[in-house]
């Protein structure tokens, strides 16, 4: 089965390793960034969400208007607009883009960040709301008759959406808590995880699959995992580049996700509220290097405010590391670089083809078996969970 590759765009050129003072929305750069991902062969691009970020659906519409086939994955926090309205917004965008829309649900793991948009629910309440919200979203897309709803968070009568998606809009879902497994296991087409070591990732996959079974599903969600690959012509050059990146991050040379303008996200020396960041920091506390090429030092340096673990090495090494995750059940790989535009171009030239060629070779029946260590991890973990 082919592996899906997702990149990530922003509306200005900035990262943890460099900063710019230009406008928050740079249309020319946004257009170039989206086209670079399409040219590189990515399947989709993620448009992130933050309480101060440019509005994601509009960014997605602009990116889609300047590309031909590239899918858009719009990060979306339930609760700030009615689910019936959100369903029509995404269905309309899906029609205009010819069926290229997917939605990435982020329930929200930080109370201060939620309150910036006026949300004062507790984390458990937010997941309850997300559960109800996603059910309404899907029903709005699929219902051929008016329907009413009366729940804890939403109530309406005789709603019918004239606009429907081109096909089925995929729902992606992010989180690492038990509540996330439960809600995402019920609703997600693809469940998104951050880049942890193989054993810990296998445990999370097992938890997601167990939650899907508990929800009565006969299928299981796909699994996405995200990394920040750092490539070099040799192993030594890759690690030299990695250390330069870490030094820049440590010295505050870039735009950090946990900057002062986003207080509450955590940072070095503080404890983040969301479980995903806590897990990355726990892996970093055990060791800087894991498995074939996983490097957790950047997560420690940034406070793990986002996907912040790297895979370091030659394109061949990093491709094999990604295939290790495919071996334990990963179906989607989300990658973005510390030099976002140039790295996306390099991934398309050096990394994506290697992974796709090996996956195609395996699908054709000629490929190697999964390694004994990684291949056994998920089976053992699933058995333990079920």
């Amino acid at each position: 089965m082919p592996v899906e590759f997702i990149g990530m765009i922003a509306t200005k050129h900035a990262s943890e390793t460099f900063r710019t003072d230009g406008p928050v929305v740079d249309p020319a750069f946004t257009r170039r960034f989206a086209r670079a991902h399409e040219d590189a062969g990515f399947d989709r691009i993620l448009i992130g969400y933050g309480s101060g970020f440019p509005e994601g659906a509009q960014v997605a519409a602009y990116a889609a208007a300047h590309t031909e086939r590239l899918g858009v994955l719009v990060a979306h926090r339930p609760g700030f607009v009615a689910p019936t309205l959100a369903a029509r917004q995404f269905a309309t965008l899906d029609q205009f883009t010819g069926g290229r829309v997917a939605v990435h649900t982020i329930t929200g793991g930080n109370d201060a960040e939620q309150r910036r948009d006026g949300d004062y629910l507790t984390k458990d309440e937010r997941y309850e709301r997300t559960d109800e919200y996603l059910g309404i979203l899907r029903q709005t897309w699929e219902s051929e008759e008016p329907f009413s709803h009366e729940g804890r968070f939403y109530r309406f009568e005789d709603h019918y959406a004239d606009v429907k998606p081109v096909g089925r809009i995929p729902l992606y879902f992010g989180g690492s808590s038990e509540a996330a497994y439960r809600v995402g296991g019920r609703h997600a087409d693809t469940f998104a995880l951050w880049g942890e070591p193989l054993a810990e990732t296998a445990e999370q996959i097992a938890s997601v699959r167990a939650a899907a079974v508990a929800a009565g599903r006969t299928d299981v969600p796909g699994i996405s995992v995200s990394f920040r690959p750092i490539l070099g012509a040799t192993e030594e050059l890759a690690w030299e580049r990695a250390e330069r990146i870490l030094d820049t991050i440590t010295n505050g040379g870039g735009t950090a996700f946990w900057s002062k303008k986003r207080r509450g996200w955590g940072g070095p020396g503080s404890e983040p509220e969301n479980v995903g960041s806590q897990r990355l920091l726990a892996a970093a506390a055990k060791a800087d290097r894991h498995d074939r090429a996983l490097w957790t030092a950047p997560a420690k340096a940034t406070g793990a405010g986002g996907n912040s673990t790297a895979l370091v090495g030659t394109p061949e090494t990093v491709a094999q590391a990604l295939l290790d995750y495919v071996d334990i059940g990963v179906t989607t790989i989300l990658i973005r670089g510390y030099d976002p535009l140039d790295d996306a171009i390099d991934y398309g030239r050096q990394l994506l083809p290697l992974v796709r060629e090996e996956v195609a070779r395996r699908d054709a029946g000629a490929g190697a078996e999964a390694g004994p260590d990684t291949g056994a991890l998920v089976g053992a973990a699933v058995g333990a969970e079920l």
Side-chain angles (χ1 to χ4, degrees):
M1 181 177 178
V3 173
E4 178 184 48
F5 276 98
I6 300 178
M8 185 174 181
I9 69 165
T11 58
K12 66 180 295 185
H13 199 198
S15 82
E16 298 93 332
T17 60
F18 62 90
R19 67 182 72 203
T20 57
D21 296 322
V24 173
V25 176
D26 182 338
F29 175 77
T30 305
R31 182 170 61 249
R32 183 184 176 199
F33 206 4
R35 287 177 175 173
H37 280 84
E38 180 162 78
D39 292 343
F42 283 85
D43 298 292
R44 296 187 185 276
I45 46 173
L46 172 65
I47 294 93
Y49 186 103
S51 62
F53 290 5
E55 200 282 312
Q58 296 183 61
V59 176
Y62 183 82
H66 293 281
T67 53
E68 298 296 327
R69 58 148 197 90
L70 187 67
V72 290
L73 178 58
V74 185
H76 181 66
R77 281 188 190 161
F80 299 114
V81 297
T84 50
L85 173 57
R88 300 197 306 277
Q89 290 173 327
F90 289 125
T92 302
L93 182 58
D94 200 52
Q95 286 289 337
F96 275 118
T97 62
R100 290 192 274 159
V101 172
V103 177
H104 181 49
T105 306
I106 304 173
T107 298
N110 182 279
D111 290 342
E113 169 69 1
Q114 295 296 121
R115 289 168 185 165
R116 293 186 183 102
D117 268 332
D119 184 15
Y120 287 84
L121 296 184
T122 66
K123 180 179 177 180
D124 288 343
E125 289 171 331
R126 292 197 293 267
Y127 273 103
E128 290 179 32
R129 180 180 61 191
T130 294
D131 194 4
E132 186 175 342
Y133 188 101
L134 292 180
I136 296 169
L137 202 67
R138 185 64 75 188
Q139 189 172 2
T140 304
W141 287 333
E142 297 178 353
S143 178
E144 295 301 330
E145 300 291 338
F147 69 99
S148 300
H149 176 86
E150 185 167 353
R152 178 180 176 188
F153 299 97
Y154 301 101
R155 178 184 178 186
F156 54 85
E157 297 178 5
D158 295 327
H159 179 77
Y160 179 76
D162 292 315
V163 60
K164 302 294 185 184
V166 172
R168 178 184 173 88
I169 291 181
L171 287 177
Y172 293 65
F173 193 99
S176 294
S177 65
E178 292 301 321
Y181 300 148
R182 174 176 52 80
V183 178
R186 177 178 293 115
H187 295 284
D189 294 298
T190 299
F191 196 103
L193 306 170
W194 284 339
E196 297 184 24
L198 286 161
E200 286 85 344
T201 302
E203 291 169 359
Q204 291 213 77
I205 293 173
S207 296
V208 172
R209 291 178 174 177
V213 170
R217 291 178 60 167
T218 57
D219 63 337
V220 293
I223 299 293
S224 171
V225 66
S226 59
F227 300 101
R228 312 289 294 273
I230 300 173
L231 306 181
T234 66
E235 299 295 327
E236 293 77 11
L237 289 174
W239 281 104
E240 286 176 10
R241 183 185 175 207
E243 292 297 339
R244 289 196 302 271
I245 288 171
L246 181 62
D247 183 65
T248 303
I249 293 172
T250 303
N251 291 325
T255 303
F257 194 69
W258 42 267
S259 66
K260 292 180 180 178
K261 291 183 179 179
R262 300 190 185 114
R263 289 183 297 273
W265 279 104
S270 66
E271 180 69 14
E273 295 177 19
N274 63 304
V275 176
S277 294
Q278 292 171 11
R279 291 180 63 99
L280 292 188
L281 293 177
K286 292 179 182 178
D288 283 345
R289 301 189 187 188
H290 301 259
D291 304 321
R292 190 187 300 266
L294 182 66
W295 191 44
T296 59
K300 187 187 302 182
T302 60
N307 64 317
S308 49
T309 52
L311 294 174
V312 183
T314 64
E316 293 77 13
T317 295
V318 173
Q320 287 300 318
L322 291 173
L323 289 163
D324 290 340
Y325 286 88
V326 173
D327 287 340
I328 64 169
V330 167
T331 58
T332 294
I333 296 168
L334 193 159
I335 52 175
R336 62 188 180 106
Y338 286 102
D339 188 351
L341 177 58
D342 288 345
D343 281 344
I345 295 169
D346 286 344
Y347 297 158
R349 291 172 177 167
Q350 302 178 41
L351 186 58
L352 272 62
L354 292 176
V355 176
R356 285 188 168 134
E357 287 168 10
E358 175 59 17
V359 170
R361 189 174 73 88
R362 295 179 182 186
D363 287 347
E369 298 177 357
D373 293 331
T374 59
L377 287 170
V378 73
V382 169
E385 290 288 337
L386 297 179

